[in-house]
């Protein structure tokens, strides 16, 4: 987009009155509704801070102005640009200023095709596999021309982006962009630009206290002094205030001191926000990761979230499926962990859905740096996944992510390979050597997901006889469909290949896949009789009991054999001692004459002669 020039200061009288009326309406709504919004996990970001509310109001007024088509918010990383833009998008929809708000995470301006795809997805437009950027631009532009009141939020723009090349024409929609560079805002021709500054010292401490749950009159004096020192390390950056304050809320004095010690150590190594705000924030996140995230499960789920695409709303149910497939923890543990991460501001609740969470781009960057450091042998796999994530428009990242997670966290469900995006699946479950192993080759299943080729005929037969199996999954995400049909496929594969009398040996696996399939909301009434027979058959139960009894008596026999061996060994030792003692006696006799009273050695024949 070229420069749009300055805002006109002279307008016809009726247009001026109309604009003033709209501005007054916006200001009134902002005054009544924009006071305190709970965001960034468990923390309060107050728009009644002078440094924030005035900017928020100004953006709303600019977007309301018919003569302004593009607005920019610029400032250093972690200052709150993305959060502010996200809440602006939410508020303008609530105020019916725009019918559609389309957030797009940009970062690099080079991947025009991906940006076009993200905008098209928000419009419900399918661009297909068109390789001609001009044709894609024409389709997108045509669709935007037919839409009214569209706001496109271009988040985290680092370089000039040719909006016309993408298909965004300035007379068809408005653009709100965020960037760290004022120069980028100028090159983009934004008619209004807002600099988002650091919080003041007073605002810094006020926000930190809210995040940490500190009340001056009810806080231990010693801990209050430590809290002020920790707060000073936040340097007015809302992200660091939110993370440090929330993570230390209701923590022990020991943890407060440990965090302060690590922060001071980082400063001692020359880390300064003025020189490198990104690494300054990342180091603070690393401190929280090392000290506050105590459990292994919490750390792993944090790192898993860090591997999702930028600005992606993470479906909580997808996280559950990842940890179930990796056998890391239970659904209850996942929910508790996500709550903990939100409370620590390492995850943010989605504005649009309670079933999703978000991760700030700098928090995600920190998580990825931690993974690189903790998993040095997997760096090539991680890099390959990242490159595909950024550069391939139709990259099937969900399954590729799960394969990568298997390598990172010790699961053996996938084969070792130089490619983290390999589509081949090697199941390393505890199948008996008498049971055929799944093929490891993934194939398409009715366009819903990928399944193991060995499961395909069984799943097709089940879905042909029970069409609702497919219908019940269509509304779910691809990740959920993948997990659902994978669990059902494994269950059918075991039932098909295990002899009935051997079911008892695989009861635990069958039980697990049965429970997983039921969690996927399948109608499994048709399979229930067979599973009841497997899991509760009297004959199978009798076999299990007899085998347990056999095991007991075998163990008793083994113990008796060990005792018998000990007794036999003792008897052998005694026999050996008897032989040795007898041999000594046989070698001695009593002498006479000059040798009277002395035991002397004589031959057995001599002993016979002497005693005649």
């Amino acid at each position: 987009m070229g420069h749009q020039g300055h805002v006109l200061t002279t307008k016809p009288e009726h247009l001026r009155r109309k604009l003033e009326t709209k501005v007054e309406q916006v200001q009134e709504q902002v005054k009544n509704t924009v006071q305190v919004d709970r965001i960034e996990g468990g923390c309060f970001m107050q728009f009644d801070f002078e440094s924030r509310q005035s900017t928020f109001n100004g953006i709303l007024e600019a977007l309301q102005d018919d003569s302004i088509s593009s607005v920019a918010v610029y400032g250093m990383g972690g200052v709150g640009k993305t959060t502010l833009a996200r809440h602006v998008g939410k508020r303008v929809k609530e105020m019916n200023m725009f019918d559609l708000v389309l957030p797009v995470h940009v970062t690099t301006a080079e991947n025009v095709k991906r940006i076009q795809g993200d905008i098209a997805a928000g419009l419900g437009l399918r661009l297909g596999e068109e390789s001609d950027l001009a044709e894609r631009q024409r389709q997108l532009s045509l669709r935007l021309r037919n839409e009214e009141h569209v706001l496109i939020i271009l988040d985290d723009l680092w370089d000039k982006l040719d909006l016309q090349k993408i298909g965004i024409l300035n007379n068809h929609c408005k653009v709100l962009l965020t960037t760290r560079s004022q120069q980028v805002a100028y090159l983009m021709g934004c008619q209004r630009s807002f600099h988002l500054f650091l919080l003041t010292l007073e605002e810094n401490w006020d926000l930190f206290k809210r995040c940490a749950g500190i009340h001056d009159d009810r806080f231990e004096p010693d801990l209050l002094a430590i809290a002020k020192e920790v707060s000073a390390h936040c340097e007015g950056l809302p992200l660091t205030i939110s993370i440090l304050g929330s993570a230390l809320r209701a923590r022990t004095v020991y943890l407060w001191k440990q965090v302060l010690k690590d922060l001071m150590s980082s400063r001692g190594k020359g880390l300064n926000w003025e020189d490198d705000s990104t690494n300054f924030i990342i180091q603070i996140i690393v401190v929280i990761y090392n000290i506050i995230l105590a459990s292994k499960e919490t750390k792993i789920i944090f790192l898993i979230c860090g591997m999702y695409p930028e600005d992606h709303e993470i479906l909580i149910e997808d996280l559950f499926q990842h940890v179930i497939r990796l056998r890391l923890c239970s659904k209850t543990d996942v929910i508790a962990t996500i709550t903990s991460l939100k409370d620590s501001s390492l995850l943010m609740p989605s504005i649009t859905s309670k079933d999703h969470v978000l991760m700030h781009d700098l928090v995600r960057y920190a998580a990825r740096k931690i993974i690189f450091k903790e998993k040095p042998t997997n760096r090539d796999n991680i890099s390959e996944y990242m490159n595909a994530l950024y550069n391939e428009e139709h990259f099937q990242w969900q399954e590729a992510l799960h394969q990568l997670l298997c390598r990172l966290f010790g699961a053996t469900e996938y084969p070792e390979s130089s490619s983290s995006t390999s589509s081949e699946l090697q199941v390393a479950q505890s199948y008996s050597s008498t049971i055929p192993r799944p093929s490891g080759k993934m194939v398409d299943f009715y366009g819903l997901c990928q399944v193991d080729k060995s499961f395909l005929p069984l799943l097709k037969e089940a879905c042909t006889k029970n069409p609702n199996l497919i219908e019940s999954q269509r509304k779910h995400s691809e990740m959920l469909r993948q997990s659902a049909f994978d669990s059902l496929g494994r269950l059918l594969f075991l039932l098909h290949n295990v002899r009935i009398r051997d079911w008892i040996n695989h009861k635990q696996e069958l039980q697990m896949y049965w429970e997983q399939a039921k969690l996927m909301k399948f109608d499994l009434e048709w399979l229930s009789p067979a599973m009841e027979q497997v899991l509760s058959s009297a004959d199978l139960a009798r076999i299990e009991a007899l085998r347990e009894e056999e095991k007991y008596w075998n163990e008793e026999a083994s113990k008796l054999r060990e005792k018998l061996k000990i007794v036999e060994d003792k008897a052998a030792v005694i026999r050996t001692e008897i032989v040795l003692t007898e041999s000594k006696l046989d070698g001695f006799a009593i002498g006479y004459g000059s040798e009277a009273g002395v035991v002397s050695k004589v031959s057995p024949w001599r002993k016979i002669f002497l005693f005649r």
Side-chain angles (χ1 to χ4, degrees):
M1 183 191 300
H3 289 279
Q4 304 299 320
H6 297 288
V7 181
L8 295 176
T9 56
T10 60
K11 301 179 184 292
E13 185 63 23
H14 71 283
L15 290 178
R16 186 182 63 79
R17 287 199 302 269
K18 179 181 177 182
L19 177 59
E20 288 176 350
T21 302
K22 288 183 178 179
V23 168
E24 289 174 0
Q25 291 173 348
V26 171
Q27 289 175 332
E28 185 64 24
Q29 286 184 275
V30 170
K31 180 180 178 182
N32 293 335
T33 61
V34 184
Q35 291 299 323
V36 180
D37 279 62
R38 189 175 179 93
I39 64 163
E40 306 286 353
C43 184
F44 293 90
M45 172 68 75
Q46 288 210 346
F47 288 117
D48 58 353
F49 288 151
E50 179 58 31
S51 61
R52 289 297 178 269
Q53 187 173 351
S54 59
T55 302
F56 190 87
N57 294 351
I59 295 170
L60 290 178
E61 292 173 15
L63 293 174
Q64 191 78 7
D65 192 332
D66 292 335
S67 66
I68 295 178
S69 61
S70 57
V71 179
V73 181
Y74 68 93
M76 67 173 57
V79 81
K81 302 181 297 296
T82 298
T83 298
L84 182 60
R86 187 178 293 120
H87 279 263
V88 167
K90 178 186 178 184
R91 195 55 46 82
V92 297
K93 284 201 72 175
E94 292 173 348
M95 297 165 61
N96 296 318
M97 289 173 58
F98 294 92
D99 298 322
L100 277 176
V101 177
L102 306 175
V104 180
H105 191 270
V106 180
T107 304
T108 174
E110 297 175 357
N111 199 335
V112 173
K113 197 172 182 180
R114 183 187 62 78
I115 297 171
Q116 288 176 328
D118 289 346
I119 296 174
L123 292 166
L125 173 64
R126 189 173 181 84
L127 295 177
E129 299 288 342
E130 296 286 348
S131 58
D132 185 357
L133 292 178
E135 174 58 23
R136 293 167 65 91
Q137 182 263 0
R138 186 192 67 79
Q139 292 184 38
L140 193 56
S141 177
L142 182 63
R143 179 58 180 271
L144 287 171
R145 189 180 296 120
N146 294 329
E147 296 284 347
E148 292 185 5
H149 305 108
V150 177
L151 174 64
I152 298 176
I153 300 176
L154 300 176
D155 187 35
D156 200 20
L157 193 60
W158 286 67
D159 303 294
K160 181 181 178 181
L161 179 65
D162 189 340
L163 298 184
Q164 290 189 353
K165 186 176 180 180
I166 290 173
I168 303 174
L169 303 181
N170 55 23
N171 57 336
H172 295 151
C173 59
K174 293 198 176 189
V175 172
L176 172 63
L177 66 88
T178 71
T179 178
R180 298 188 187 185
S181 168
Q182 185 181 13
Q183 179 70 9
V184 171
Y186 173 78
L187 293 174
M188 292 297 295
C190 294
Q191 294 143 301
R192 290 291 303 276
S193 295
F194 296 88
H195 187 184
L196 204 58
F197 293 95
L198 298 171
L199 296 179
T200 65
L201 288 174
E202 293 77 12
E203 292 170 344
N204 184 108
W205 176 234
D206 190 10
L207 182 57
F208 186 86
K209 287 194 297 181
R210 292 174 179 269
C211 293
I214 295 174
H215 304 281
D216 292 342
D217 57 341
R218 301 197 305 270
F219 216 64
E220 297 178 28
D222 292 344
L223 188 53
L224 188 63
I226 296 172
K228 287 183 177 179
E229 285 193 69
V230 173
S231 170
H233 283 272
C234 297
E235 302 290 356
L237 284 164
L239 183 61
T240 59
I241 297 170
S242 174
I243 290 173
L244 273 174
S246 299
L248 287 168
R249 190 182 185 96
R251 301 291 182 175
T252 64
V253 175
Y254 172 79
L255 286 179
W256 277 88
K257 289 182 177 179
Q258 189 62 41
V259 168
L260 179 59
K261 179 182 177 182
D262 279 25
L263 291 174
M264 294 176 68
S265 175
S266 298
R267 281 293 178 89
K269 295 176 182 177
L271 185 62
N272 192 301
W273 69 271
E274 293 176 324
D275 300 329
D276 190 346
S277 64
T278 297
N279 278 326
F280 172 77
I281 294 170
I282 287 173
Q283 185 57 45
I284 286 178
I285 295 169
V286 171
V287 169
I288 298 301
Y289 175 86
N290 289 333
I291 298 176
I292 302 299
L293 302 188
S295 72
K296 177 183 177 183
E297 291 78 15
T298 303
K299 289 184 175 181
I300 289 178
I301 290 176
F302 169 73
L303 297 177
I304 289 175
C305 290
M307 302 306 290
Y308 273 75
E310 272 73 6
D311 219 32
H312 181 81
E313 293 207 350
I314 303 169
L315 182 62
I316 294 173
E317 191 67 26
D318 281 356
L319 287 176
F320 173 53
Q321 293 307 318
H322 277 308
V323 298
I324 284 295
R325 294 173 72 184
L326 292 169
R327 300 185 180 186
L328 293 174
C329 57
S330 68
K331 185 173 184 178
T332 303
D333 293 331
V334 175
I335 293 172
T337 294
I338 290 173
T339 300
S340 172
L341 291 172
K342 287 197 294 183
D343 288 343
S344 299
S345 291
L346 295 172
L347 287 178
M348 302 180 290
S350 167
I351 292 176
T352 58
S353 169
K354 65 179 181 180
D355 299 323
H356 293 75
V357 290
L358 293 164
M359 179 175 270
H360 191 283
D361 59 337
L362 287 176
V363 178
R364 179 180 292 104
Y365 187 34
R368 291 175 179 178
K369 289 199 74 170
I370 292 170
I371 289 177
F372 265 98
K373 183 177 180 180
E374 292 189 350
K375 306 290 182 179
T377 59
N378 297 104
R379 287 177 179 174
D380 289 343
N381 301 123
I382 298 170
S383 297
E384 187 172 352
Y385 168 79
M386 293 299 174
N387 289 334
L389 195 63
Y390 284 118
N391 300 312
E392 295 182 21
E393 181 187 10
H394 298 287
F395 176 49
Q396 299 298 315
W397 63 269
Q398 291 96 334
E399 189 58 29
L401 172 59
H402 183 68
Q403 294 185 38
L404 178 61
L405 295 177
C406 286
R407 292 188 175 90
L408 293 178
F409 300 113
T412 56
E413 189 175 345
Y414 292 94
E416 288 301 321
S417 165
S418 60
S419 171
S420 67
T421 61
S422 169
S423 63
E424 295 189 358
L425 176 66
Q426 176 185 357
V427 183
Q429 308 291 352
S430 56
Y431 290 104
S432 168
S433 59
T434 61
I435 303 173
R437 295 175 65 86
S439 69
K441 178 68 176 177
M442 301 299 288
V443 295
D444 179 72
F445 182 63
Y446 295 127
L448 294 170
C449 60
Q450 299 278 311
V451 298
D452 191 282
K453 189 176 180 180
S454 302
F455 307 158
L456 188 61
L458 299 170
L459 286 171
K460 280 188 173 182
E461 181 182 1
C463 292
T464 299
K465 295 178 179 179
N466 304 275
N468 58 347
L469 291 175
I470 290 179
E471 294 305 318
S472 66
Q473 301 300 316
R474 287 194 186 278
K475 62 181 179 180
H476 294 159
S477 69
E478 183 178 350
M479 179 67 191
L480 280 178
R481 294 196 297 268
Q482 182 84 34
S483 296
F485 286 107
D486 181 71
S487 297
L488 183 58
R490 293 181 190 279
L491 179 63
L492 297 175
F493 186 79
L494 273 175
L495 290 173
H496 183 75
N497 288 287
V498 177
R499 294 178 302 177
I500 294 177
R501 68 182 184 183
D502 291 331
W503 278 353
I504 196 67
N505 297 330
H506 301 274
K507 184 176 179 179
Q508 187 175 359
E509 287 175 85
L510 289 164
Q511 179 78 52
M512 180 184 68
Y513 294 134
W514 176 239
E515 294 299 328
Q516 287 183 13
K518 288 193 293 184
L519 280 174
M520 296 297 105
K521 307 300 183 184
F522 281 125
D523 181 1
L524 297 173
E525 192 173 335
W526 57 277
L527 190 56
S528 293
M531 290 307 301
E532 287 177 6
Q533 182 182 1
V534 171
L535 301 176
S536 61
S537 169
D539 290 335
L540 291 176
R542 176 63 176 160
I543 291 173
E544 184 175 20
L546 289 172
R547 285 180 176 173
E548 285 297 319
E549 189 174 356
E550 179 190 22
K551 180 181 177 182
Y552 169 78
W553 288 116
N554 282 335
E555 290 175 353
E556 289 297 311
S558 178
K559 292 176 183 177
L560 290 174
R561 281 193 292 271
E562 290 179 2
K563 289 182 179 180
L564 178 62
K565 186 176 184 304
I566 293 172
V567 171
E568 290 177 340
D569 288 344
K570 287 184 176 179
V573 169
I574 292 172
R575 283 196 298 272
T576 302
E577 189 174 352
I578 290 172
V579 171
L580 291 173
T581 304
E582 288 178 342
S583 65
K584 288 180 181 179
L585 290 175
D586 287 346
F588 292 89
I590 298 175
Y592 292 90
S594 62
E595 297 176 346
V598 179
V599 177
S600 62
K601 283 187 177 182
V602 293
S603 71
W605 299 109
R606 179 60 178 162
K607 284 192 285 183
I608 294 173
F609 174 77
L610 287 173
F611 286 99
R612 279 184 176 178

